Amino acid sequence: MEIEGRTVVLTGATSGIGAAAARRLAAEAGHLIVQGPESEAEVGELLAELRSAGRASVDYVSADFTSFAEVRSAARRVLDLADGIDVLVNNAGVPGSRRRQLTADGHERTIQVNYLALTLWSELLIPGMSDGGRIVNVGSTTHRMTSLALDDLDLEHGYDPVRAYAQSKLAIVTYSAWLASRLPRDISVVAISPGVISTSLLHSMFGGGGAPVEHGGARIREAVLADVPSGTYIDDGEVIAASDDALDEHTQAGLADLTRRLTS
């Protein structure tokens, strides 16, 4: 999938890896639509930078992914703005909170923001995607650290912030593998781990270290361009198999069914 002159939608674009990816994509895209939880006024400086980075027209859509109502409203706004979406990058994410928190929709905050909102957002936008479009879902190598609690996805029992984060990323990778063979019109999906990146999210959960955010932004761009089959998992630039749990068809089907019920 080419980026030059295309319409690109990027979530989680106002900080960290997302902002770094937005800067790269703004230099090449024809139309860049970025999402973040802040008001447009709060991210005015970033938007001005993106608008001066290249020839892309840049629109901002504010949406707090702790609210399914805001996800639905923002998706409608994107469809109004875009004359066909060529690239959808799902990057929005939060770390596991120190103590278990519930959203207004009644879900554990990490799983809703990182995964459930991603699936709802994607399902709403896929009908507006162009033939041969590309979806990039940003997962993490932490998806290998856990298994999916399909009987307790909201982690009412045994909550731990790292487990919550890892489970949300495993859900993303699993969903991506399930979705790959079900997308219409030659739309493809790729799940990635952008590497260990120095962000506030990493530091809040795992301490210091990590590569610059520009490294993560570059990995997102590479995933958009990669000539790989739908359903591919790319870990820091290397095409490898996702975890056995993510590739298990029974787990994929169970997660898909549960996700439909939780987001309906």
Side-chain angles (χ1 to χ4, degrees):
M1 166 58 65
E2 295 297 323
I3 300 172
E4 191 73 27
R6 305 285 187 158
T7 296
V8 179
V9 177
L10 169 65
T11 70
T14 56
S15 63
I17 296 170
R23 292 183 180 99
R24 284 182 172 269
L25 297 171
E28 300 176 76
H31 186 191
L32 177 63
I33 303 173
V34 290
Q35 174 275 337
E38 302 92 345
S39 70
E40 186 162 353
E42 290 175 298
V43 294
E45 186 175 331
L46 172 64
L47 294 178
E49 180 185 352
L50 296 178
R51 287 169 179 143
S52 65
R55 62 186 181 88
S57 63
V58 178
D59 286 301
Y60 180 69
V61 175
S62 174
D64 183 346
F65 279 9
T66 65
S67 165
F68 288 154
E70 290 202 26
V71 172
R72 293 186 176 96
S73 177
R76 288 193 294 270
R77 174 67 174 149
V78 169
L79 291 173
D80 286 342
L81 289 168
D83 184 18
I85 300 165
D86 298 299
V87 178
L88 172 59
V89 180
N90 289 314
N91 168 72
V94 294
S97 54
R98 186 176 234 175
R99 293 184 178 84
R100 183 174 179 267
Q101 298 180 36
L102 295 182
T103 67
D105 297 299
H107 300 295
E108 191 274 317
R109 177 175 177 266
T110 320
I111 199 69
Q112 174 158 336
V113 173
N114 295 2
Y115 172 68
L116 293 173
L118 176 154
T119 62
L120 177 59
W121 174 260
S122 299
E123 296 293 337
L124 292 168
L125 293 185
I126 286 169
M129 293 192 70
S130 304
D131 293 357
R134 165 66 55 89
I135 300 172
V136 176
N137 290 330
V138 179
S140 167
T141 194
T142 61
H143 85 274
R144 301 181 188 279
M145 296 172 57
T146 191
S147 57
L148 284 173
L150 293 180
D151 59 346
D152 186 21
L153 200 65
D154 286 313
L155 296 183
E156 183 177 356
H157 306 287
Y159 177 83
D160 172 86
V162 172
R163 182 187 178 204
Y165 180 77
Q167 179 178 241
S168 73
K169 293 300 184 177
L170 173 56
I172 290 171
V173 178
T174 304
Y175 169 76
S176 300
W178 174 86
L179 185 64
S181 63
R182 293 166 173 83
L183 285 165
R185 297 177 283 109
D186 292 323
I187 298 169
S188 61
V189 59
V190 172
I192 71 166
S193 166
V196 179
I197 309 298
S198 180
T199 62
S200 58
L201 186 153
L202 175 77
H203 299 162
S204 70
M205 299 188 67
F206 303 105
V213 292
E214 290 78 14
H215 179 90
R219 290 305 191 212
I220 287 176
R221 178 182 178 276
E222 289 169 3
V224 174
L225 297 171
D227 183 13
V228 294
S230 188
T232 295
Y233 175 69
I234 306 174
D235 192 331
D236 200 6
E238 181 182 0
V239 175
I240 61 174
S243 71
D244 290 344
D245 283 347
L247 297 177
D248 182 82
E249 292 185 0
H250 178 75
T251 301
Q252 291 174 12
L255 178 64
D257 180 65
L258 177 61
T259 301
R260 279 192 294 267
R261 289 188 279 115
L262 295 179
T263 56
S264 62

